[in-house]
Each structure stands twice: as structure tokens, then as C-alpha cells.
Amino acid sequence: MNLTPTQQTVLLTLTKEWLSPVQLSERLPKESGNLYSVNQSLKDLVKAGLAQVNPVVYGLYRLTAKGTTLKEEAQSIG
């Protein structure tokens, strides 16, 4: 799967715990941490099945099993 650098950064920052886009952007380097880019990357990751949206509390995201596997593979390579 080809991810943009910002999507990769957001994926590597996401966890199995629910996080808001603001929380994610605060954890990212300044150059990739703007809220618009984070939101767009989250939407793309959800479409790809790598992240999921909280069905109860709007605006919270976390990794899926597929996203967790991809994150672990990326971390073992890099």
C-alpha cells in the first residue's frame, strides 16, 4: 500500500487507544502536524481500512488490526 509521507506519519502516531485529530496533531512534527493534513490523512486511512472511527464518540480514531500490523512492519523496517 502506498501512503503519502503525512499518512505514514499519522499511521505511526495512531495507537489502539482512541485519539482525536487534535491530539494526533500535537504529537506530530510541526511540518506534518497541521490539523487539515491530519484530518485528511485520517479519512484516507479509514477508507484503506487502517484506522477506524469511534461509533459512539464522534471525532475519535484508532488503529484497526490491519493498521496495527502495517505499523509494526514499518517500525521493524525503519
Side-chain angles (χ1 to χ4, degrees):
M1 165 165 277
N2 292 328
L3 298 175
T4 67
T6 303
Q7 290 169 340
Q8 290 175 359
T9 303
V10 171
L11 178 75
L12 293 173
T13 305
L14 269 172
T15 66
K16 294 178 186 178
E17 302 298 321
W18 296 109
L19 295 170
S20 72
V22 171
Q23 289 171 310
L24 284 166
S25 67
E26 290 171 350
R27 296 178 182 197
L28 296 174
K30 288 218 185 270
E31 60 274 2
S32 55
N34 81 59
L35 198 52
Y36 176 79
S37 298
V38 170
N39 278 322
Q40 189 57 50
S41 294
L42 285 168
K43 288 178 188 176
D44 296 337
L45 293 171
V46 168
K47 285 181 188 175
L50 301 173
Q52 69 181 105
V53 180
N54 189 312
V56 178
V57 181
Y58 178 74
L60 295 180
Y61 300 83
R62 71 178 178 188
L63 289 171
T64 61
K66 182 178 174 183
T68 301
T69 301
L70 188 62
K71 178 179 177 175
E72 289 168 355
E73 289 171 0
Q75 288 175 330
S76 68
I77 294 170

